[in-house]
Amino acid sequence: MSEQEKTPPAAAEPQPPVDNKPTDAPAQPEHPPTDGNDKTEQPATEAAPAEAPTEQPKQDDAAQPADNKPDYLAKNPALSEFFDRLPAILSSAGHNEMWGVTLRDSADVPTVNVMIKFLRANEGNVKQAEDQLIKALQWRKEMDPTALVDTASYSASKFGGLGYLTTYQDANGKETVVTWNIYGAVKKIDETFGNMDEFLKWRVALMEMAVKELKMDQATTVMDYNADEDPYQMLQVHDYLNVSFLRINPNLRAATKKTIEVFAMAYPELLREKFFVNVPAIMGWMFAAMKVFLSKNTTRKFHPISNGANLAREFPSPLKDQFPKAYGGNGPALQDNARTVNLVADPEPAQEASKDEAQEAPKDAPKEEPKEEPKEEPKEEPKEEPKEEPKEESKAETTQESADAPEKNDAAVTEAPAPAAEAK
């Protein structure tokens, strides 16, 4: 039994390469020529596994592109396609900066987060996201929002007290960025909202300050495309205290409409929630109607609050305490603690007086011209018309008189305003 146990180990070594020849194993030690046959067979068996690995690398190479893609691209074909079009988008727009982020490729985390926001804003439609991104890049190239914050200044009388920026921290130290628009603080609505371009630049400057606080250019983690929570969003508060909703100023309405259009195009997916405070309860129907025309994803972010002091209740304890007291918190007033854009004093009254005189001069000239024109025209018309009409009527036949009757009525209509014009 011990001898049989010794022979199998010697035969076990050649067995693995030749699986189907167990009977040849014991005969190999007795006949050396068979060892030569084994040697000739071994290269054949070695050639077979050599061919197998050559096929495996081909399969691995075919699978490598999919395996090498990061999860946020492999799991989101639309985002991958969006990145494929990015070079053409940047070339078409002639600009590559968005919200302080220089757009590069899918390996750059800040770039990925920007692309995700534009794609989400268009519900995964790559073509629409591409068009919006091109428009937004072109707009930034023309508007230069960064310069509006760093180098531009704005009238203190027009925009002072109208907009603020605050940053609060929650229990985990996470920052919450809030922009404030205090429309009720505006004293001269026509001056503040009358110049559409000036107001829009001021509003963009305030928005860019808030975007900078989001620190998207410092992102190190790609945001989840399907997650409800977005770490790169802000809160907005619109205070309408002392603003009449029954007679909304047309300049205010036009400025608001223009701002909404621009921000929807240039700042998608940056708003977490918007609070309309000090809104009369009677205007609740307006927000109910908005839900009919706007998507749920948009309307769920709108929160009308009739009493501004209840705003802080919408947030957890560590955060709500930092809100100003006027809005239900324990923090300082916006005027004392919040930031705003660069404001400058208005020109001196002497300069304004010279401008007013220059504007009044042309106003006097047209006053004299309209006085002379109405005096000359009505005097000539009534003298000529009554003289011609009776002559034609006396010569005309009875059948012609009936046909001329409408003409007399028309003349009466044209003549009627003439005395009235003279009386004026």
Side-chain angles (χ1 to χ4, degrees):
M1 296 296 292
S2 60
E3 293 178 357
Q4 293 177 354
E5 292 175 355
K6 293 179 181 180
T7 54
E13 294 179 357
Q15 280 180 357
V18 183
D19 297 334
N20 297 329
K21 295 182 180 181
T23 56
D24 296 340
Q28 288 176 358
E30 297 178 357
H31 302 282
T34 56
D35 294 340
N37 293 335
D38 291 340
K39 292 179 181 179
T40 56
E41 291 177 0
Q42 286 177 356
T45 55
E46 290 177 358
E51 293 177 358
T54 55
E55 295 178 356
Q56 289 178 355
K58 292 181 180 179
Q59 295 177 356
D60 294 341
D61 292 341
Q64 277 180 359
D67 295 339
N68 290 340
K69 280 187 176 181
D71 291 341
Y72 51 82
L73 292 181
K75 296 179 180 180
N76 193 337
L79 182 60
S80 180
E81 181 183 354
F82 196 16
F83 266 103
D84 292 340
R85 301 186 183 185
L86 182 58
I89 292 173
L90 299 179
S91 176
S92 177
H95 191 69
N96 64 350
E97 179 272 334
M98 180 60 62
W99 308 330
V101 176
T102 300
L103 301 182
R104 294 185 174 89
D105 52 35
S106 60
D108 183 63
V109 173
T111 300
V112 177
N113 290 337
V114 171
M115 299 286 281
I116 286 177
K117 284 183 176 291
F118 274 87
L119 189 60
R120 288 178 59 176
N122 292 275
E123 299 180 352
N125 189 312
V126 178
K127 178 57 178 175
Q128 293 180 1
E130 177 183 0
D131 294 341
Q132 182 177 359
L133 181 55
I134 292 176
K135 292 179 181 178
L137 288 170
Q138 292 174 341
W139 177 83
R140 293 187 71 85
K141 181 180 179 180
E142 297 174 0
M143 181 66 73
D144 194 3
T146 304
L148 295 180
V149 178
D150 298 337
T151 61
S153 58
Y154 306 89
S155 171
S157 63
K158 294 181 180 180
F159 305 106
L162 177 57
Y164 296 99
L165 171 66
T166 58
T167 304
Y168 306 132
Q169 290 186 350
D170 60 11
N172 299 324
K174 180 181 177 181
E175 293 185 345
T176 299
V177 179
V178 186
T179 60
W180 304 77
N181 293 100
I182 317 300
Y183 292 110
V186 179
K187 297 180 180 180
K188 298 180 180 180
I189 295 180
D190 290 333
E191 292 185 4
T192 300
F193 302 99
N195 189 329
M196 179 75 69
D197 293 336
E198 184 181 18
F199 170 79
L200 184 60
K201 289 180 179 179
W202 168 85
R203 186 64 185 87
V204 169
L206 183 65
M207 184 65 175
E208 285 292 319
M209 290 177 61
V211 171
K212 188 176 182 179
E213 290 298 319
L214 295 177
K215 302 175 182 178
M216 293 191 63
D217 58 332
Q218 304 177 20
T220 57
T221 304
V222 174
M223 53 186 289
D224 188 350
Y225 181 89
N226 298 315
D228 293 334
E229 184 178 358
D230 186 342
Y232 304 105
Q233 290 183 330
M234 68 185 71
L235 302 177
Q236 290 183 356
V237 179
H238 288 198
D239 190 347
Y240 292 94
L241 184 65
N242 299 326
V243 175
S244 175
F245 278 81
L246 299 178
R247 292 183 179 180
I248 299 180
N249 185 282
N251 290 330
L252 173 59
R253 183 188 293 109
T256 302
K257 181 180 178 181
K258 182 64 176 180
T259 303
I260 293 174
E261 293 176 356
V262 172
F263 278 36
M265 176 272 298
Y267 300 101
E269 290 293 308
L270 292 181
L271 176 65
R272 182 186 305 173
E273 290 178 296
K274 177 180 287 189
F275 297 88
F276 302 87
V277 301
N278 292 317
V279 178
I282 194 174
M283 297 304 297
W285 64 268
M286 180 180 66
F287 296 95
M290 291 170 62
K291 295 181 179 180
V292 178
F293 301 100
L294 300 177
S295 64
K296 293 181 179 179
N297 187 39
T298 301
T299 56
R300 68 180 177 83
K301 300 180 180 181
F302 294 168
H303 307 284
I305 301 176
S306 59
N307 187 357
N310 297 329
L311 175 62
R313 299 179 182 178
E314 301 290 330
F315 305 95
S317 179
L319 193 61
K320 70 179 183 180
D321 294 336
Q322 303 172 55
F323 275 72
K325 292 182 179 179
Y327 298 96
N330 297 321
L334 295 174
Q335 297 86 341
D336 300 332
N337 189 41
R339 289 162 288 168
T340 187
V341 299
N342 184 25
L343 300 175
V344 294
D346 296 336
E348 297 179 359
Q351 297 178 357
E352 294 181 356
S354 61
K355 292 181 180 179
D356 295 339
E357 292 176 358
Q359 293 177 356
E360 290 177 359
K363 291 181 180 179
D364 296 338
K367 289 181 180 179
E368 297 178 357
E369 293 178 357
K371 290 181 180 179
E372 295 177 358
E373 291 178 357
K375 289 180 180 180
E376 295 177 358
E377 293 178 357
K379 288 180 180 179
E380 294 177 358
E381 291 178 357
K383 290 179 180 180
E384 294 177 358
E385 291 178 357
K387 291 179 180 179
E388 294 177 357
E389 289 178 358
K391 291 180 181 180
E392 293 178 357
E393 291 176 359
S394 59
K395 295 179 181 180
E397 297 178 357
T398 56
T399 56
Q400 292 178 348
E401 289 178 358
S402 60
D404 293 339
E407 295 180 0
K408 293 180 180 179
N409 293 337
D410 294 341
V413 172
T414 55
E415 290 174 3
E422 292 177 359
K424 293 180 181 178

